[in-house]
């Protein structure tokens, strides 16, 4: 198609030119027509969606490799929570503070089927729970949604998920479980790096940072 023709390429070129002209008028502070205002609203909405997607991808890239894998896997599933639950910029549900969480009437779906429909979930601090059900009913998927905070968990809770099948290693069972706590592993690694840096040079700033790290490690129970 010619750029100015009526085919897909021509229409795309015309739309791009109209948008560029509209943006020039916005930059100059000129008055927009009704059609240009609608075009500007669509442009702003598209830019907001692009920014949110970039932030989501950046946040995913900062997660540990195993969590990144879970997030990719969960893209194939759909979680519908009761109305009223809010999300942050990374798509995590913002939970209320406290010692318990209760979600009534949620639905977890895989492509073509509902795994959990109109289900309820209650978790309280200090309690132990068992998750029973036949294979393929969504138990692991539910746990991955919890581990990636797609449910409204309190921000003060640390969440770790131990894989069903861990690769062969020299780590003990306890070490394997502790390694599943991504935040604890990251803080412990940073602590070791700071200790080595402090031993090499007496820096007050590093000592203060180490104190803050130790305080955070105590908070997560390390």
């Amino acid at each position: 198609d010619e750029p100015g023709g009526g085919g897909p390429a021509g229409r795309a070129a015309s739309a791009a030119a109209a948008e560029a002209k509209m943006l020039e008028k916005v930059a100059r502070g000129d008055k927009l027509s009704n059609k240009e205002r609608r075009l500007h609203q669509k442009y702003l909405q598209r830019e907001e969606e692009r920014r949110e997607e970039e932030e989501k991808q950046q946040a995913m890239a900062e997660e540990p490799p195993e969590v990144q894998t879970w997030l990719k896997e969960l893209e194939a599933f759909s979680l519908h929570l009761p109305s009223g639950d809010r999300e942050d910029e990374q798509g995590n549900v913002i939970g209320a503070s406290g010692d318990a969480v209760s979600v009534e009437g949620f639905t977890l779906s895989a492509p073509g089927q509902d795994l959990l429909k109109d289900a309820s979930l209650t978790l309280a601090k200090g309690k132990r729970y068992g998750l029973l059900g036949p294979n393929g009913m969504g138990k692991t998927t539910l746990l991955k949604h919890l581990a990636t905070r797609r449910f409204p968990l309190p921000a003060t809770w640390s969440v770790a998920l131990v894989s069903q099948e861990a690769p062969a290693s020299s780590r003990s069972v306890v070490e394997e479980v502790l390694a599943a706590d991504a935040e604890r592993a990251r803080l412990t690694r940073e602590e070791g790096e700071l200790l080595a840096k402090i031993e090499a040079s007496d820096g007050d700033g590093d000592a203060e940072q180490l104190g803050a790290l130790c305080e955070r490690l105590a908070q997560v129970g390390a």
Side-chain angles (χ1 to χ4, degrees), residues 55-115:
E55 291 177 349
K56 180 180 178 181
Q57 294 300 324
Q58 181 180 355
M60 184 183 296
E62 294 173 355
E63 295 284 1
E66 192 169 37
V67 176
Q68 292 185 38
T69 301
W70 296 338
L71 291 170
K72 283 290 184 183
E73 293 173 356
L74 295 182
E75 289 179 358
F77 296 87
S78 176
L79 176 64
H80 296 282
L81 294 169
S83 59
D85 291 311
R86 298 177 295 120
E87 296 183 350
D88 62 17
E89 294 181 350
Q90 285 72 49
N92 299 325
V93 180
I94 301 174
S97 59
D99 295 334
V101 60
S102 180
V103 181
E104 301 285 342
F106 71 88
T107 297
L108 179 60
S109 304
Q113 65 171 325
D114 289 335
L115 300 176

Side-chain angles (χ1 to χ4, degrees), residues 38-196:
R38 290 194 296 270
L39 183 61
H40 188 225
Q41 287 299 320
K42 290 181 180 179
Y43 169 80
L44 292 177
Q45 182 178 355
R46 189 171 67 250
E47 285 297 295
E48 178 67 15
E49 291 172 353
R50 180 189 60 79
R51 184 186 64 80
E52 290 178 354
E53 181 61 25
E54 288 180 352
E55 291 177 349
K56 180 180 178 181
Q57 294 300 324
Q58 181 180 355
M60 184 183 296
E62 294 173 355
E63 295 284 1
E66 192 169 37
V67 176
Q68 292 185 38
T69 301
W70 296 338
L71 291 170
K72 283 290 184 183
E73 293 173 356
L74 295 182
E75 289 179 358
F77 296 87
S78 176
L79 176 64
H80 296 282
L81 294 169
S83 59
D85 291 311
R86 298 177 295 120
E87 296 183 350
D88 62 17
E89 294 181 350
Q90 285 72 49
N92 299 325
V93 180
I94 301 174
S97 59
D99 295 334
V101 60
S102 180
V103 181
E104 301 285 342
F106 71 88
T107 297
L108 179 60
S109 304
Q113 65 171 325
D114 289 335
L115 300 176
L116 298 168
K117 187 174 182 180
D118 196 23
S120 299
L121 174 71
T122 299
L123 298 173
K125 184 178 179 180
K127 301 290 185 180
R128 295 183 180 182
Y129 300 90
L131 192 57
L132 305 177
N135 292 337
M137 291 303 293
K139 299 187 300 298
T140 301
T141 301
L142 174 63
L143 292 176
K144 288 179 179 178
H145 276 83
L146 287 167
T148 53
R149 293 187 178 276
R150 292 306 184 253
F151 279 88
L153 301 178
T156 54
W157 286 15
S158 295
V159 185
L161 177 60
V162 182
S163 299
Q164 296 184 71
E165 298 180 5
S169 71
S170 59
R171 292 191 298 202
S172 66
V173 173
V174 174
E175 290 171 337
E176 196 68 45
V177 172
L178 292 176
D181 189 336
E183 183 179 12
R184 180 187 182 280
R186 177 182 61 80
L187 291 171
T188 302
R189 183 175 63 254
E190 291 181 8
E191 181 188 35
E193 293 172 354
L194 277 174
L195 284 172

